[in-house]
């Protein structure tokens, strides 16, 4: 240090940089006890001059001494026992000497000697205490902090004043400059947890965004999530979807929330959500928590695809605007979501919305949000927020390709939509990297330790988040990463509410409320989805049934029953079509009993007849709500009409050229364009 001091310091020159200034700076913290001793001596001389012959003053000084000592003992209860005792003894000794000196005189008897010997001893005792306290707080000493940091390879790190909260200790940490980085702390978290005999999820590190060697070490000694909390109903019935959705609680008792729409005032972006977790990790209950919150809001539509036939979500199904049970119905939903994005974006832009906000769901009565060129209020119906939820999405991705959601995820946020994808393992062999990158929010439940990187960002894992430590042993435990949540909350575990049998009645009541009070599809969204899905889309006002329940059932009929007497029923049950199966088929103009197309059993129809039959078959599929077809759906029909599958494939391609069909992501699968849209 002296080599860098310079001549000014060594010569005593330079004011604040001199030896005198340095010594004064070092001595100042130790001066208060000595100043107190000197002030006591001066006060004794003044007191003796004033009260030397006053008996009343003696009583008052004695009582004051006792009261001051008692107050010191009471005030020190929040400090250590040693400091409390030291303070009380100091005050008692000083006040007793001052009382005697004021009454008898500072130099009477042994009082002057007691002052000259006792005063420095008392002052020095406080100086020694100050020096020892600094050494104890120094992480380079032999305290417990140093021992812990030495064990985990961070001996030169410095721990600042810890902040102690109920079940949470937060301590600032400064690492050795040039020798250690925040990455070293992240790698040592497991060893710190081992040294403290805690689970690895109980120790986290929040690196400072402004420094690569500073951060906060957080320790949660007790698992407050061990006791599950029952679901008691929605947090904000009738509120807006733009308000926080409460899905559980964190390990310190704080509510676990997330947002789906964005907020231009707080600069929060709209988001898509990935729900990931292994079998038995609690994905079903997590989905119930989020679905109930969505359905309890007044300005949102919920579309759900569930290949498991809504096994977990049956009580909520009546409140959904659209539900699909997987397979072809899910293919139609995916295509419908793609179709509504440009329609919704166009409407929002025409009404002056850069992104969806709650005002967009209300009737447009302001000049600020009008689509009229003259600037007058347009009065257009509002557009609710839209959530498209794909449960067990691995099935959909296998059927439609790993990039089935890529376009949706990249474009839907600007259209007032959120995509929710739930699957067990979001690995790159199931979901394309582009899709995964477009799902910025995640609820990561227990998983295989090797799959943590598929669910959570690397920075969150480095900070101490480890869903792999739970596996399926802690259902409902999760980490939530989403816009609007403070980043230091990302590595904090939470637990979703538990749904017992009692919650079924609450869900049924909520679905009834949503059906009665919830938003219905706006004309723009409804028109766009109807142009793609036809009768497969029912809307929230439809009864709780499968989409195809209201249409005729497709059945395999044989022989002479192929025709229903109306010229368009090859695949329709006669009872569903309103035809009496016992009635005679109508004849031709000459009165014979030949079928309409004049074909005999086993005879191949003419090309024109076959094309007409094919067109009628497409109509029946559309009426039944089956909007995605392929050659496999025509197998029985080909056998009955003596037509080859290759012929059907050619007809499918011709229908696509005519605009009656559109290809889907799956090879050999075609989406039926509703008749009105095709026309």
């Amino acid at each position: 240090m002296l080599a860098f001091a310079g001549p000014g310091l060594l010569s005593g020159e330079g004011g604040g940089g001199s030896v005198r200034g340095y010594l004064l700076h070092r001595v100042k913290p130790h001066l208060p006890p000595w100043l107190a001793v000197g002030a006591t001596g001066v006060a004794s001389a003044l007191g003796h001059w004033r009260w030397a012959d006053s008996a009343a003053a003696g009583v008052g000084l004695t009582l004051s001494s006792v009261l001051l000592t008692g107050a010191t003992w009471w005030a020190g209860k929040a400090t250590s026992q040693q400091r409390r005792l030291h303070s009380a003894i100091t005050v008692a000794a000083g006040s007793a000497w001052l009382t005697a000196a004021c009454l008898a005189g500072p130099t009477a008897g042994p009082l002057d000697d007691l002052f000259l010997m006792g005063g420095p001893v008392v002052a020095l005792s406080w100086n020694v205490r100050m020096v020892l306290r600094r050494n104890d707080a120094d992480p380079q000493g032999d305290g417990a902090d140093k021992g812990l940091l030495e064990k985990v390879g961070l001996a030169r790190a410095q721990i600042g004043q810890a902040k102690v909260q109920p079940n949470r200790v937060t301590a600032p940490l400064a690492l050795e400059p040039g020798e250690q980085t925040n990455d070293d702390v992240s790698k040592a978290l497991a060893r710190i947890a081992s040294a403290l005999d805690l689970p690895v999820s109980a120790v986290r590190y929040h690196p400072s965004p402004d420094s690569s060697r500073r951060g906060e070490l957080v320790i949660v000694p007790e698992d407050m999530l061990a006791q599950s909390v029952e679901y008691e109903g929605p947090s904000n019935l009738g509120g807006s979807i733009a308000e926080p959705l409460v899905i559980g609680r964190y390990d310190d008792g704080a509510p676990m929330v997330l947002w789906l729409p964005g907020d231009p005032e707080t600069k929060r972006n709209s988001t898509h959500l990935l729900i990931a977790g292994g079998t038995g990790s609690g994905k079903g209950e997590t989905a119930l928590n989020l679905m109930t919150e969505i359905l309890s809001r007044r300005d949102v539509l919920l579309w759900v695809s569930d290949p498991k036939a809504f096994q977990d979500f049956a009580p909520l199904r009546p409140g959904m605007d659209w539900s699909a049970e997987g397979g072809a119905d899910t293919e139609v939903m995916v295509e419908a979501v793609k179709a509504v994005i440009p329609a919704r974006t166009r409407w929002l832009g025409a009404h002056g919305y850069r992104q969806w906000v709650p005002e967009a769901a209300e009737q447009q009565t302001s000049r600020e949000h009008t689509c009229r060129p003259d600037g007058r209020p347009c009065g257009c119906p509002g557009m609710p927020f839209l959530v498209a939820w794909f449960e067990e999405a691995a099935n959909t991705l296998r059927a439609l390709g790993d990039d089935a959601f890529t376009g949706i995820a990249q474009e839907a946020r600007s259209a007032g939509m959120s995509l929710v994808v739930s699957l067990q393992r979001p690995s790159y062999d199931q979901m394309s990297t582009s899709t995964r990158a477009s799902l910025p929010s995640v609820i990561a439940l227990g998983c295989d330790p090797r799959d943590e990187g598929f669910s959570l960002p690397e920075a969150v894992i480095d900070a101490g988040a480890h869903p792999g430590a739970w596996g399926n042993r802690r259902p409902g435990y999760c980490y939530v990463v989403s816009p609007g949540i403070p980043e230091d909350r990302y590595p904090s575990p939470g637990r979703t509410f538990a749904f017992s049998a009692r919650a079924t009645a609450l869900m049924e009541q909520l679905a009834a409320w949503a059906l009665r009070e919830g938003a219905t599809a706006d004309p723009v969204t409804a028109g766009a989805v109807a142009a793609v899905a036809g009768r497969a889309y029912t809307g929230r006002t439809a009864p709780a049934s499968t989409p195809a329940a209201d249409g005729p059932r497709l059945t395999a009929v044989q022989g002479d029953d192929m025709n229903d007497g109306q010229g368009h029923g090859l695949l329709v049950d006669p009872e569903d079509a309103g035809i009496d199966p016992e009635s005679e088929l109508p004849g031709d103009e000459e009165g014979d009993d030949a079928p309409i197309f004049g074909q005999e059993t086993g005879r191949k129809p003419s090309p024109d007849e076959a094309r007409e039959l094919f067109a009628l078959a497409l109509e029946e599929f559309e009426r039944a709500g089956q909007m995605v077809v392929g050659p496999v759906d025509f197998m029985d029909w080909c056998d009955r009409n003596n037509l080859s599958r290759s012929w059907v494939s050619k007809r499918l391609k011709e229908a696509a050229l005519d605009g009656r069909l559109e290809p889907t992501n799956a090879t050999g699968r075609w989406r039926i364009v509703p008749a009105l849209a095709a026309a």
Side-chain angles (χ1 to χ4, degrees), residues 299 347 353 356-364 369 382-383:
D299 50 6
W347 186 93
Y353 294 104
W356 188 93
V357 291
E359 291 78 6
E362 308 294 335
Q363 186 175 7
Q364 305 302 294
H369 299 294
M383 175 177 287

Side-chain angles (χ1 to χ4, degrees), residues 36-280:
V37 171
T40 301
V42 174
S44 68
L46 294 175
H48 179 67
W49 172 75
R50 178 76 176 176
W51 299 310
D53 301 320
S54 174
V59 174
L61 288 171
T62 301
L63 291 177
S64 298
S65 176
V66 173
L67 291 175
L68 183 60
T69 302
T72 303
W73 179 260
W74 174 83
K77 65 181 181 180
T79 64
S80 66
Q81 188 68 18
Q82 291 179 348
R83 187 179 184 87
R84 187 183 190 186
L85 186 62
H86 191 185
S87 301
I89 292 174
T90 300
V91 172
S95 60
W97 184 90
L98 179 63
T99 299
C102 287
L103 298 177
T107 60
L111 291 179
D112 53 348
D113 293 328
L114 289 175
F115 179 82
L116 294 176
M117 290 185 293
V121 169
V122 171
L124 284 172
S125 71
W126 282 99
N127 292 158
V128 171
R129 184 178 185 86
M130 183 179 295
V131 172
L132 293 177
R133 185 173 71 247
R134 288 188 174 182
N135 287 342
D136 287 342
D138 187 356
Q140 303 302 325
D142 297 326
D145 290 341
K146 174 175 172 56
L148 172 63
L149 295 177
E150 281 183 341
K151 289 180 180 178
V152 300
L154 300 173
R156 295 188 178 183
Q158 297 181 1
I159 294 183
Q161 186 66 35
K163 179 181 179 182
V164 181
Q165 299 171 294
N167 197 42
R168 188 182 183 96
V169 179
T170 304
L173 191 64
L175 305 174
E176 180 70 10
E179 298 291 335
Q180 299 168 326
T181 67
N182 289 328
D183 289 339
D184 296 320
V185 183
S186 298
K187 296 174 182 177
L189 289 179
R191 296 194 296 273
I192 295 175
S194 175
L196 297 174
D197 195 19
L198 293 173
V200 67
S201 60
V203 181
R204 301 148 213 163
Y205 182 66
H206 302 152
S208 170
D210 302 321
S211 173
S212 61
R213 70 176 189 92
R214 296 182 184 273
E216 289 185 335
L217 186 65
V218 179
I219 300 173
V220 181
E222 181 182 355
D223 184 6
M224 296 181 63
L225 302 177
Q227 288 293 114
S228 63
V229 177
E230 294 288 331
Y231 172 78
E232 297 182 354
S235 65
N236 189 8
L237 184 64
S240 173
I241 188 63
E243 297 168 4
L245 307 174
V246 182
I247 61 173
R249 61 169 183 157
Y250 285 106
D251 57 356
D252 60 358
M256 186 166 58
V257 303
L258 58 83
W259 292 261
L260 293 179
D263 185 353
E265 294 186 2
T266 61
K267 308 300 182 183
R268 186 186 71 242
N269 291 325
S270 178
T271 190
H272 302 311
L273 177 66
L274 171 68
I275 302 177
T279 301

Side-chain angles (χ1 to χ4, degrees), residues 434-676:
S434 297
T435 300
R436 181 63 188 89
S438 300
L439 300 174
S441 298
V442 61
I443 300 178
L445 295 107
C447 64
D448 187 290
R450 295 168 295 182
D451 294 342
E452 290 180 344
F454 296 137
S455 302
L456 290 172
E458 182 178 354
V460 179
I461 296 176
D462 291 342
H466 292 290
W470 302 326
N472 59 2
R473 299 179 299 277
R474 304 284 180 89
Y477 279 57
C478 62
Y479 297 100
V480 181
V481 176
S482 186
I485 300 176
E487 292 187 7
D488 59 2
R489 276 289 187 191
Y490 290 171
S492 299
R495 188 175 187 180
T496 57
F497 298 124
F499 279 72
S500 62
R502 185 178 64 88
T504 301
L506 293 175
M507 291 189 286
E508 291 174 346
Q509 295 173 11
L510 177 59
W513 179 90
L515 190 62
R516 183 178 66 254
E517 305 289 343
T520 56
D522 58 283
V524 173
T525 302
V529 65
V532 171
R535 294 192 179 187
Y537 172 70
T538 57
R540 187 173 253 163
T541 57
S545 60
T546 58
D550 297 327
R553 296 191 299 272
L554 297 180
T555 60
V557 294
Q558 301 293 333
D560 294 336
D561 293 331
M562 284 197 312
N563 294 308
D564 62 3
Q566 302 296 319
H568 54 267
L570 291 179
L571 302 179
V572 181
D573 189 314
E575 182 177 355
D576 288 333
I579 302 298
D580 182 2
E582 301 298 329
S583 63
E584 295 183 356
L585 295 175
D588 60 9
E589 295 181 356
E590 297 180 4
D592 58 20
D593 293 331
I596 291 178
F597 297 116
Q599 62 194 63
E600 299 176 358
T601 303
R603 184 181 69 82
K604 183 176 180 179
S606 66
D608 291 339
E609 292 172 345
R611 288 187 180 91
E612 186 175 352
L613 291 175
F614 183 81
L616 294 175
L618 290 180
E619 290 181 11
E620 297 303 333
F621 278 116
E622 181 181 348
R623 289 171 56 190
Q626 183 174 345
M627 302 301 292
V628 176
V629 296
V632 66
D633 299 296
F634 291 86
M635 291 178 62
D636 293 340
W637 183 79
C638 290
D639 293 339
R640 292 195 303 271
N641 292 277
N642 294 325
L643 295 172
S644 66
R645 287 151 180 73
S646 61
W647 187 92
V648 172
S649 298
K650 293 178 181 178
R651 300 290 79 75
L652 289 170
K653 294 179 180 179
E654 289 180 358
L657 294 176
D658 294 338
R660 191 69 171 93
L661 298 176
E662 286 189 357
T664 66
N665 290 340
T667 303
R669 302 292 289 170
W670 303 82
R671 179 177 61 83
I672 299 175
V673 178
L676 292 178

Side-chain angles (χ1 to χ4, degrees), residues 346-423:
R346 192 179 306 112
W347 186 93
L348 289 170
H351 288 82
Y353 294 104
R354 297 187 63 184
Q355 67 180 79
W356 188 93
V357 291
E359 291 78 6
E362 308 294 335
Q363 186 175 7
Q364 305 302 294
T365 58
S366 69
R367 292 178 176 272
E368 182 181 0
H369 299 294
T370 178
C371 60
R372 295 175 62 96
D374 57 8
R376 290 186 299 169
C378 60
C380 293
M383 175 177 287
F385 194 77
L386 176 59
V387 177
W389 188 305
F390 293 91
E391 188 69 16
E392 296 295 340
N395 292 338
T396 303
L397 292 168
R398 282 194 297 268
L400 303 182
D402 62 355
D403 62 346
F405 302 132
T406 300
I408 300 173
Q410 292 175 346
E411 301 169 4
R413 288 194 301 168
S414 60
M417 299 171 58
S418 280
L419 174 67
V420 179
V421 177
S422 175
L423 73 170

